[in-house]
Amino acid sequence: LVWFPHSMAPKRQSSLPPQMKKPRQPPAPKPGQTSTSQHLHKGEKEQQEAIEHTDEVQNEIDRPNEQASEEILKVEQKYNKLCQPFFQKRLELISKIPNFGVTTFVNHPQVSALLGEEDEEALHYLTRVEVTEFEDIKSGYRIDFYFDENPYFENKVLSKEFHLNESGDSSSKSTEIKWKSGKDLMKRSSQTQNKASRKRQHEEPESFFTWFTDHSDAGADELGEVIKDDIWPNPLQYYLVLDMVDEEGEGEEDDDDEEEEEGLEDMMKKEMRMKEGEEDEGEDD
């Protein structure tokens, strides 16, 4: 897991403009007038000097913060390298679990909101997802999606890269999807939105695969950040979501059964007391 710290943003520029306008000189006091304007001019000068010195001190404060960010990046780089063998081992194990990728995406609340019905069908052919940080980790990362042979597109791997240059400008690029004839989900997604039968109650979203072609705002790509920072570090937690819900549901059902049994016992006891009361009344008669 790698976080882009604030040092990736452009270094702080001075808060002061390049050339500050000098305060306009007040007219010289006439004979007999007080020197109030002279005192005012002196106060403005002191204020201006205080602002300039404050900006200088702020630069001194920012300097160690920038150094700390650089040190954090070095530590993250070190531990990313240590994690690589374990990431590879995890990928090998995940490949033995059927539908791991699509189940993980469907169970994730943010990603699931982007999936249409046909997207889910296509993602059943997803074998693994891999996130790779660039060697200079503050410069960006790449997400690779590996697929088996499928009826939707020819690609075996779909990738999207995110880049951040020294000035802090973001950009992205991705694999061109080679759709098979009549299987372009990006074109069909708009047509299926008007269908009455849907798996979800809300309208079907645009195709998940439009994300590969969307480079409008690489610096605020929510899906890329979710995959890199949330799913990639621990995908198993989302794969197991349904199992955890089922276990909780079974516990609730057991509680309901116990309550029903207790209710039946109370009813039977009440009926027995009523019968006993009727028998006693008969004997008295």
Side-chain angles (χ1 to χ4, degrees), residues 85-102:
F86 300 102
F87 285 143
Q88 293 303 317
K89 181 64 176 178
R90 187 181 68 185
L91 287 172
E92 293 173 7
L93 295 171
I94 285 175
S95 65
K96 301 176 182 178
I97 305 174
N99 298 323
F100 184 92
V102 66

Side-chain angles (χ1 to χ4, degrees), residues 122 147 149-155 158 177-180 209:
F147 289 87
E149 179 69 29
N150 64 82
Y152 294 94
F153 43 80
E154 302 288 348
N155 310 72
L158 296 178
I177 304 177
K178 299 178 180 178
W179 296 101
K180 294 182 179 180
F209 294 92

Side-chain angles (χ1 to χ4, degrees), residues 24-263:
R24 188 170 53 186
Q25 299 290 341
K30 296 180 180 179
Q33 287 184 336
T34 62
S35 58
T36 303
S37 59
Q38 291 179 345
H39 288 299
L40 181 62
H41 174 60
K42 183 180 179 181
E44 290 177 348
K45 184 178 179 181
E46 290 177 350
Q47 177 182 343
Q48 183 58 40
E49 290 176 351
I51 291 173
E52 292 175 355
H53 291 154
T54 301
D55 188 63
E56 291 173 0
V57 173
Q58 188 62 50
N59 286 331
E60 295 299 324
I61 294 172
D62 289 342
R63 190 170 293 112
N65 285 336
E66 292 170 0
Q67 292 173 350
S69 297
E70 292 295 328
E71 293 299 320
I72 291 171
L73 282 174
K74 291 177 182 178
V75 172
E76 289 177 342
Q77 255 180 332
K78 174 183 176 181
Y79 285 95
N80 272 341
K81 290 180 180 178
L82 291 176
C83 288
Q84 289 308 310
F86 300 102
F87 285 143
Q88 293 303 317
K89 181 64 176 178
R90 187 181 68 185
L91 287 172
E92 293 173 7
L93 295 171
I94 285 175
S95 65
K96 301 176 182 178
I97 305 174
N99 298 323
F100 184 92
V102 66
T103 303
T104 300
F105 282 174
V106 169
N107 288 348
H108 193 286
Q110 289 173 271
V111 179
S112 178
L114 303 175
L115 298 178
E117 292 185 24
E118 288 189 291
D119 291 332
E120 291 184 24
E121 292 298 325
L123 289 174
H124 274 83
Y125 298 92
L126 178 67
T127 58
R128 74 178 192 270
V129 177
E130 190 170 359
V131 176
T132 304
E133 304 285 350
F134 296 154
E135 187 172 352
D136 179 8
I137 59 177
K138 64 181 180 181
S139 66
Y141 61 96
R142 184 181 72 250
I143 305 177
D144 297 312
F145 298 77
Y146 293 82
F147 289 87
D148 279 335
E149 179 69 29
N150 64 82
Y152 294 94
F153 43 80
E154 302 288 348
N155 310 72
K156 300 297 183 184
V157 183
L158 296 178
S159 303
K160 188 167 185 178
E161 295 184 3
F162 297 87
H163 298 268
L164 191 68
N165 60 28
E166 293 182 357
S167 64
D169 296 327
S170 302
S171 62
S172 62
K173 62 180 182 179
S174 59
T175 306
E176 180 184 356
I177 304 177
K178 299 178 180 178
W179 296 101
K180 294 182 179 180
S181 179
K183 294 293 185 178
D184 189 337
L185 298 182
M186 293 189 291
K187 292 181 179 179
R188 296 167 65 181
S189 61
S190 59
Q191 300 173 359
T192 57
Q193 285 188 14
N194 295 324
K195 289 185 177 180
S197 59
R198 295 190 180 100
K199 186 181 294 183
R200 301 179 180 85
Q201 296 298 321
H202 56 74
E203 283 191 355
E204 290 287 355
E206 291 185 3
S207 174
F208 167 82
F209 294 92
T210 60
W211 171 71
F212 286 94
T213 60
D214 184 6
H215 306 290
S216 57
D217 192 359
D221 192 303
E222 293 184 7
L223 180 56
E225 292 296 316
V226 164
I227 295 173
K228 178 176 72 72
D229 295 334
D230 192 15
I231 295 178
W232 172 249
N234 185 6
L236 189 62
Q237 63 178 323
Y238 293 106
Y239 176 80
L240 296 175
V241 164
L242 290 180
D243 291 338
M244 294 170 65
V245 171
D246 291 341
E247 290 177 2
E248 292 175 359
E250 289 175 2
E252 292 174 359
E253 289 177 2
D254 292 340
D255 293 340
D256 292 341
D257 293 341
E258 290 177 1
E259 291 177 1
E260 289 179 2
E261 290 177 0
E262 290 176 357

